[in-house]
C-alpha cells in the first residue's frame, strides 16, 4: 500500500511516516522542500525505512496536483492519505491580520479539500482507500488567540464526517484525529503558560 503524508517531515507527520513504514507501507512524505537541514534530519531519523520525499506547498492546489502526479508515476496509486500539514499564526481576533487568517485556513483546511479531491476518485474506483485528517482538540474547545486555527481544525472535522458519508459504501474510510498538545516544534513555539 502506498501512503502519502502531508506535513510529512513535521512533528506529528514524521512520526506517522515512520509508523506507516514500520507497518509495511511505502510512504511518501509530502512537505515543503526548502530546508535541507530539516530534510536531512528527517531521513537520518527514518533511515532504513521505505520512505520517499516529495516537495509541495500544500496551500497551493497546483503544487499539490503536480506532486500527486509525480507520486503516481513513481509509486503507483495512492491507497492512504494522511493530512497532517498544519501551521499556526496566533493572534487575538482584534489584532489578527487578514493574512494570518488566510494562511492558516489555506494550509490547514484548504489543503485537506485539495488533497482529498485529488485522490478520492481513484480510491473509490479501486474500492479501497484510507484517509486520516489531523484535526485538533482546539477545533472542539477553542483556544485564546487561535480563532483561525480553531476554525480550520473544526472545519476539518466537519469535512471529514461529510466525506466519510459520501464514500464509505465504496470501500473508502475517512476519519479525523484530534490530538491534544504534542511535543512538537509548533507546540514548543507557544508561550509556556498557554502550553
Amino acid at each position: 500500500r502506498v501512503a502519502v503524508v502531508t506535513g510529512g517531515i513535521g512533528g506529528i507527520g514524521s512520526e506517522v511516516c515512520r509508523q506507516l513504514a514500520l507497518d509495511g507501507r511505502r510512504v511518501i512524505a509530502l512537505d515543503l522542500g526548502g530546508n535541507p537541514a530539516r530534510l536531512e534530519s528527517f531521513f537520518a531519523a527514518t533511515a532504513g525505512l521505505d520512505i520517499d520525499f516529495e516537495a509541495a506547498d500544500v496551500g497551493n492546489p497546483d503544487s499539490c496536483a503536480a506532486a500527486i502526479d509525480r507520486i503516481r508515476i513513481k509509486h503507483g496509486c495512492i491507497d492512504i492519505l494522511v493530512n497532517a500539514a498544519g501551521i499556526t499564526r496566533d493572534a487575538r481576533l482584534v489584532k489578527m491580520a487578514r493574512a494570518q487568517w488566510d494562511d492558516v485556513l489555506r494550509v490547514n483546511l484548504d489543503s485537506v479539500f485539495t488533497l482529498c479531491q485529488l485522490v478520492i476518485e481513484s480510491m473509490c474506483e479501486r474500492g479501497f482507500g484510507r484517509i486520516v485528517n489531523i484535526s485538533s482538540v482546539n477545533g472542539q474547545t477553542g483556544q485564546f488567540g487561535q480563532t483561525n486555527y480553531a476554525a480550520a481544525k473544526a472545519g476539518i472535522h466537519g469535512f471529514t464526517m461529510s466525506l466519510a458519508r459520501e464514500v464509505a459504501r465504496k470501500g473508502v474510510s475517512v476519519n479525523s484525529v484530534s490530538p491534544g498538545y504534542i511535543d512538537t516544534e509548533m507546540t514548543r513555539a507557544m508561550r509556556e503558560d498557554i502550553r
Side-chain angles (χ1 to χ4, degrees), residues 14-43:
S14 64
E15 186 59 28
V16 170
C17 286
R18 193 179 74 76
Q19 191 60 57
L20 284 168
L22 287 171
D23 289 342
R25 286 14 173 233
R26 173 175 291 156
V27 180
I28 298 88
L30 189 69
D31 211 312
L32 294 169
N35 188 333
R38 191 170 170 239
L39 197 54
E40 185 177 324
S41 175
F42 170 75
F43 278 115

Side-chain angles (χ1 to χ4, degrees), residues 160-191:
T160 299
M161 297 293 287
S162 297
L163 183 57
R165 292 178 187 278
E166 292 181 16
V167 299
R169 70 184 183 278
K170 297 181 179 180
V172 180
S173 67
V174 188
N175 291 280
S176 65
V177 178
S178 294
Y181 290 108
I182 307 296
D183 186 20
T184 64
E185 186 177 330
M186 187 171 81
T187 305
R188 284 190 296 274
M190 296 172 65
R191 284 187 359 224

